[in-house]
Amino acid sequence: MSGTVLTDAAPLCTTCCRAGAAFEHCFTISRCNFKGGAHSGLLTRAALFSRLHQHAWDNENWPMQREPMHPVAARLLTTSVIPVLRLKTAALAAQAIDCLVAAGFGTVELTLTTPDAITLIRDLRSRMAPEFLVGAGTVLDLDTARACVDAGADYLVSPCLVPGMGVLAHEHGRACLMGGFTPGEVLAAWRQGSDIVKVFPAGSGGPSHLGALHAVFPDVPLCPTGGVSLDNMEAYRRAGAVVVGVGNNIVDLPALETGDRARVIEHAGRFLGRVQA
């Protein structure tokens, strides 16, 4: 709360209140930064709690209810598995992408820690059919998010909260997946416009942790990423995951580095086979 002490007389931004996110923002017009600080009108603390109480009984306004799902996010759920590539060279990433497409995946998320990632995203979008979804991962600021949108990314992914990224993505018809690990982080990502919340690093808590989050937030679509493997992906699904993100273990790296394309495709295909089974 940026050091602000909230008292019964303290003014509160009505825009933040309407968004159901007053406590994630500062409490005076001069300090509030929600959507760039374009605010008007103030509420007292008593009026805030009255309004939040009203929201809690109004499914149309209460922020935990969001229907329908963003169309890109809805399409992403049908892919079941999101390959998340974080490779040391652009050449290896390009080869891995081709193998994943050949294995039958309907999407690839390319993290921006990969060299020339935005160029690879642009190339992939230009040569793939519209139904194939291209994701940009590890997007940590709005300037980078805009660059990914300009390159043709269909969805933007961050391991953490990036304020404003949900709005930016939706303004351009893209989906947004921001990350969280604790209940507070998951809720913050959801209220900032994340269509699916990326639970990261999922391996630190395992399926039981995701199950606990799902129990608290049954209306929030969760995508565990980081530590998801062929052995535990179904456990994550049973715990409540709507889709899973699988990192570099979806690629047989020794085979990729030696150019054994058939082996890379066969290995990746096991993840889809596990889902279909």
Side-chain angles (χ1 to χ4, degrees):
M1 294 191 294
S2 300
T4 302
V5 177
L6 186 61
T7 67
D8 286 336
L12 293 163
C13 175
T14 56
T15 303
C16 284
C17 182
R18 281 198 301 275
F23 291 109
E24 279 76 41
H25 305 284
C26 300
F27 292 112
T28 68
I29 245 182
S30 62
R31 299 290 299 282
C32 184
N33 61 4
F34 184 73
K35 289 187 180 178
H39 301 274
S40 61
L42 297 172
L43 288 176
T44 65
R45 183 185 185 190
L48 167 72
F49 282 113
S50 175
R51 183 167 294 186
L52 290 179
H53 178 76
Q54 178 184 1
H55 279 317
W57 295 98
D58 185 348
N59 285 336
E60 216 172 277
N61 293 321
W62 183 239
M64 296 310 295
Q65 303 291 330
R66 191 184 300 164
E67 293 183 359
M69 175 177 274
H70 190 282
V72 174
R75 287 168 55 200
L76 197 57
L77 298 193
T78 68
T79 67
S80 301
V81 179
I82 303 174
V84 182
L85 296 183
R86 191 184 307 274
L87 296 170
K88 59 185 179 182
T89 69
L92 279 177
Q95 294 170 34
I97 289 169
D98 288 342
C99 291
L100 291 167
V101 171
F105 287 90
T107 185
V108 169
E109 175 192 330
L110 190 64
T111 64
L112 297 186
T113 51
T114 301
D116 297 320
I118 292 179
T119 299
L120 288 168
I121 289 169
R122 182 178 289 109
D123 173 70
L124 185 59
R125 180 66 284 160
S126 67
R127 63 188 176 88
M128 294 303 298
E131 57 268 21
F132 186 90
L133 296 175
V134 179
T138 321
V139 180
L140 302 179
D141 59 76
L142 296 186
D143 287 341
T144 304
R146 291 186 189 93
C148 292
V149 167
D150 291 343
D154 297 296
Y155 58 97
L156 306 175
V157 187
S158 174
C160 57
L161 181 69
V162 179
M165 194 166 85
V167 172
L168 186 152
H170 296 157
E171 285 177 346
H172 292 85
R174 270 63 167 189
C176 175
L177 289 76
M178 287 184 284
F181 187 78
T182 68
E185 291 167 350
V186 169
L187 182 59
W190 180 246
R191 286 182 168 172
Q192 277 280 328
S194 193
D195 299 293
I196 301 169
V197 176
K198 170 180 177 174
V199 179
F200 180 85
S204 296
S208 62
H209 175 73
L210 185 126
L213 291 172
H214 177 63
V216 176
F217 304 118
D219 296 316
V220 177
L222 301 175
C223 172
T225 307
V228 178
S229 68
L230 199 58
D231 294 329
N232 64 21
M233 58 187 292
E234 286 308 307
Y236 279 108
R237 290 186 177 283
R238 290 192 298 270
V242 296
V243 63
V244 298
V246 182
N248 282 352
N249 60 15
I250 205 167
V251 176
D252 185 329
L253 290 177
L256 183 69
E257 290 172 343
T258 59
D260 191 342
R261 176 181 167 87
R263 189 170 141 202
V264 176
I265 294 171
E266 188 275 334
H267 174 81
R270 294 178 192 171
F271 288 82
L272 289 179
R274 180 65 58 89
V275 169
Q276 293 163 1

